[in-house]
Amino acid sequence: MSKNNYLCENLASMNAISAVIITLNEERNIKRCLQSLQDIADEIVVADSFSTDATEQICKSFGVKFIQHAWEGYVKQKQFANSLASNDLILSIDADEAVSSELAQSILKIKELNTEKKVFSMNRLMNYCGEWIRHGGWFPDVKIRIFDRRFVNWTGGQVHETLDIPSDFATIHLNGDLLHYSFYSEDEFRRQTEKFARMSADDALAKGKKSTLFGAYVHCFWRFVRDYIFKAGFLDGKTGLRIGQINAKSVF
């Protein structure tokens, strides 16, 4: 076999990965995300919900596959975005996330593996108002983000979408962190937690679940104690205290 034929066959056998992102007015984040994907993704797909900022221009400057699609909720939007990919192996990433250099090396190694009946997880490290948060239940925030779309699908309600993974699939944990630039201000964090709390409450109500004032206080108190004390949120100083307080309020 000639050297050229060997190289062609070897390249053909490698797993091609499509990075898939959903966006809406992500001009402050999307460039960082796309830059982190340049050396690891064979294709980048962006499903945009008609952004009114510079998201589209930034995405197109990177040569991504950019499609605009009306918002249908997290699950349907992510499923639609996956359907646009040319490859079955999906790296699902949010616009406010970026792949660390160590994680990038781990992902590159996946291209040489047998990925049959496997999904790949990673730790997500949160950046809150410029600080990396490593306690209080925020780290390691393990996420499964690489999977074969033919067998794995997004499912869930309005919020907290999850992956439906066949029971016989193995989860391989990768080295390196998925960097999450989550909130730039405390007010932004508070608004987001309130939004998700309302959406979660709507989902619970639709399923016939109910609560009481006493139950709300109990859950609120337990959430703070769990995150701030048992999960060592206090090690993040004043920031850990404020995060614990806001999270407890959202549970209430």
Side-chain angles (χ1 to χ4, degrees), residues 156-208:
Q158 294 186 64
V159 68
H160 301 313
E161 69 279 7
T162 59
L163 288 169
D164 184 16
I165 302 169
S167 59
D168 60 340
F169 273 46
T171 299
I172 310 299
H173 191 72
L174 303 177
N175 294 324
D177 297 327
L178 183 64
L179 307 175
H180 187 196
Y181 296 83
S182 52
F183 304 104
Y184 290 76
S185 70
E186 182 178 301
D187 184 60
E188 183 180 348
F189 175 49
R190 186 182 295 106
R191 291 197 309 270
Q192 184 80 320
T193 56
E194 289 174 355
K195 172 187 173 182
F196 284 164
R198 291 191 184 96
M199 293 170 70
S200 295
D202 287 341
D203 279 345
L205 187 63
K207 295 176 182 177

Side-chain angles (χ1 to χ4, degrees), residues 125-136:
L125 179 60
M126 307 279 276
N127 187 293
Y128 174 84
C129 302
E131 296 182 48
W132 295 110
I133 306 300
R134 299 181 181 276
H135 308 93

Side-chain angles (χ1 to χ4, degrees), residues 218-231:
V218 169
H219 282 89
C220 172
F221 176 75
W222 168 244
R223 176 62 180 269
F224 179 80
V225 171
R226 186 197 71 178
D227 292 354
Y228 190 67
I229 304 298
F230 295 120
K231 294 193 174 183

Side-chain angles (χ1 to χ4, degrees), residues 28 71-73 83 93 95 115 147 167 179 202 224 228 237 241:
R28 70 178 178 177
W71 179 252
E72 293 189 277
S83 74
I93 184 170
T115 59
F147 53 88
S167 59
L179 307 175
D202 287 341
F224 179 80
Y228 190 67
L241 175 62

Side-chain angles (χ1 to χ4, degrees), residues 10-77:
N10 192 43
L11 287 171
S13 67
M14 295 179 71
N15 298 309
I17 297 176
S18 290
V20 178
I21 313 166
I22 61 173
T23 57
L24 175 62
N25 295 334
E26 290 285 358
E27 63 180 6
R28 70 178 178 177
N29 291 311
I30 192 64
K31 182 178 180 180
R32 176 179 57 231
C33 177
L34 296 176
Q35 286 175 331
S36 76
L37 297 171
Q38 291 304 290
D39 296 329
I40 58 176
D42 299 280
E43 174 189 52
I44 301 176
V45 177
V46 176
D48 180 73
S49 303
F50 295 94
S51 293
T52 56
D53 63 1
T55 297
E56 180 176 1
Q57 292 87 342
I58 295 171
C59 288
K60 289 184 175 179
S61 73
F62 280 85
V64 309
K65 181 186 291 187
F66 186 87
I67 306 294
Q68 291 189 309
H69 182 76
W71 179 252
E72 293 189 277
Y74 288 102
V75 172
K76 289 185 178 180
Q77 198 76 0

